[in-house]
Amino acid sequence: DCLEIVKKEIIEPLQEKGMRAKMLDKSKIDLIFSNLVNILEFHKLFYNEMKIKHNLEVINRKLNKEHLKEKKYAYNPYSLFADSLYKFMDFFKLYNIYCPNYKLSLDERDRMKKDGHKFFKWMAEIENTPALRLLDLDSLLIKPVQRLSKYKLMFQNLVNNTEASHPDYQNLVKIYDKFVALNKANNE
């Protein structure tokens, strides 16, 4: 994940005492990277929850193969995932911090580049390398901004392609509505 790369390859080295003294103070690190690490940690929890739900569904299907053959659609408690996702929706508000700060970060990075700041000399050494998946800092830091709109599109697609009779349908609609609101708030 790109956020993990930013954390491991850029933020953590910058937070080391000697490196920070040479490169950026804590306030500049906070300005440039905002709450990116919080978003990363949230997504790890979120991913693990979705993985558990998926694994339970796979196990349930294996245990109930005969039952599934009888019905075209066999819903069970493990067929639902939006219920688990919905409990995480408030954590997506982390993007309400990151997205508005992204513009401030971009302005500061542009200013620092223009001034030939040593941070960008260091970044020039590590950008576009395999450690950063051949990406530059701007390409990595835009990812959370892009991710939020991708979630909205994904849930719009799920709602449009889920039968209204599916037990998870209403949860999917509620989640989609939340992502619409989050995206609207971040675009204002």
Side-chain angles (χ1 to χ4, degrees), residues 16-179:
E16 292 173 10
K17 206 172 193 175
M19 179 75 137
R20 188 172 63 222
K22 291 184 217 170
M23 205 72 62
L24 295 173
D25 62 26
K26 184 180 179 339
S27 65
K28 286 274 195 228
I29 292 170
D30 291 344
L31 176 60
I32 292 171
F33 300 101
S34 188
N35 64 334
L36 185 138
V37 173
N38 300 88
I39 291 172
L40 170 64
E41 296 306 319
F42 157 64
H43 277 284
K44 286 180 183 178
L45 292 171
F46 176 65
Y47 172 76
N48 286 336
E49 178 75 19
M50 294 301 104
K51 192 171 163 183
I52 288 167
K53 278 296 239 187
H54 171 73
N55 290 342
L56 288 172
E57 170 67 7
V58 169
I59 291 166
N60 190 59
R61 285 184 182 272
K62 286 179 182 176
L63 292 174
N64 295 303
K65 276 185 182 178
E66 292 305 313
H67 175 70
L68 292 173
K69 287 179 186 175
E70 297 169 17
K71 295 182 178 181
K72 185 176 179 184
Y73 299 105
Y75 303 124
N76 61 67
Y78 305 111
S79 295
L80 307 175
F81 81 97
D83 60 331
S84 292
L85 174 59
Y86 194 76
K87 71 183 179 186
F88 285 98
M89 289 309 296
D90 283 342
F91 291 101
F92 280 94
K93 291 179 182 173
L94 289 166
Y95 287 92
N96 289 347
I97 298 168
Y98 187 87
C99 293
N101 285 337
Y102 177 77
K103 174 70 172 122
L104 299 172
S105 170
L106 185 60
D107 291 345
E108 180 64 17
R109 286 177 293 163
D110 287 345
R111 188 191 63 70
M112 290 169 66
K113 281 181 198 173
K114 188 175 165 185
D115 293 345
H117 194 281
K118 56 190 165 192
F119 170 70
F120 283 97
K121 292 176 182 166
W122 175 66
M123 284 305 304
E125 294 172 15
I126 65 170
E127 283 182 329
N128 301 307
T129 64
L132 296 186
R133 287 197 189 157
L134 305 175
L135 296 170
D136 63 13
L137 182 62
D138 292 340
S139 299
L140 292 164
L141 294 181
I142 191 83
K143 296 292 184 186
V145 176
Q146 296 168 332
R147 183 178 283 176
L148 195 57
S149 59
K150 287 179 182 178
Y151 276 124
K152 181 185 132 205
L153 293 172
M154 179 180 74
F155 278 93
Q156 180 180 25
N157 191 27
L158 281 169
V159 167
N160 291 341
N161 291 291
T162 300
E163 295 177 15
S165 62
H166 190 284
D168 224 8
Y169 181 78
Q170 290 305 316
N171 288 327
L172 292 170
V173 170
K174 286 194 293 189
I175 291 168
Y176 170 69
D177 290 343
K178 286 266 193 182
F179 279 116

